[in-house]
Amino acid sequence: GDYTAYAAGKTLYFVEPDISLDAVVALLEQLDNNPDFSPSRLVVLGYLLDSKAQREMTEAVKLYNNRKGIELTLDIRYN
C-alpha cells in the first residue's frame, strides 16, 4: 500500500511517517491473502499519527477478523 514497514519475527514496526488508512487496509489484505505473512503484533511510533489516524488504525485492527485466526495486537509507542 505504498508504505514500508519493518518486520522482526512476528512483529511489524511502523517507523516511517505518512501511515494512511489505505496502508492499514493493504496490510490487513496481506494478512488474509499472503500465506507467508503472519505478524501478530504491530508496533507504531505514536508521534507519526495524528489522533484521527490513531483511532482509525486502532479500530481497523480491533474489528479485523482475519482468515488465519491470528490474534493481532497493536502497540502505539511514544519512546
Side-chain angles (χ1 to χ4, degrees):
D2 293 330
Y3 182 84
T4 300
Y6 301 90
K10 294 286 185 180
T11 303
L12 196 60
Y13 293 91
F14 293 78
V15 296
E16 301 293 333
D18 301 323
I19 303 167
S20 68
L21 187 56
D22 290 339
V24 174
V25 170
L27 164 74
L28 299 177
E29 288 174 353
Q30 279 293 312
L31 277 170
D32 276 344
N33 300 319
N34 183 342
D36 298 323
F37 185 67
S38 58
S40 58
R41 184 171 171 221
L42 309 177
V43 176
V44 180
L45 299 181
Y47 63 85
L48 298 175
L49 301 170
D50 61 27
S51 61
K52 179 183 176 199
Q54 277 191 24
R55 282 190 310 275
E56 290 173 342
M57 189 169 196
T58 300
E59 284 300 309
V61 171
K62 185 182 354 176
L63 297 174
Y64 177 63
N65 185 10
N66 64 68
R67 295 178 193 164
K68 296 179 194 170
I70 298 168
E71 186 171 332
L72 191 60
T73 60
L74 175 63
D75 183 8
I76 298 177
R77 295 186 181 175
Y78 289 94
N79 56 10

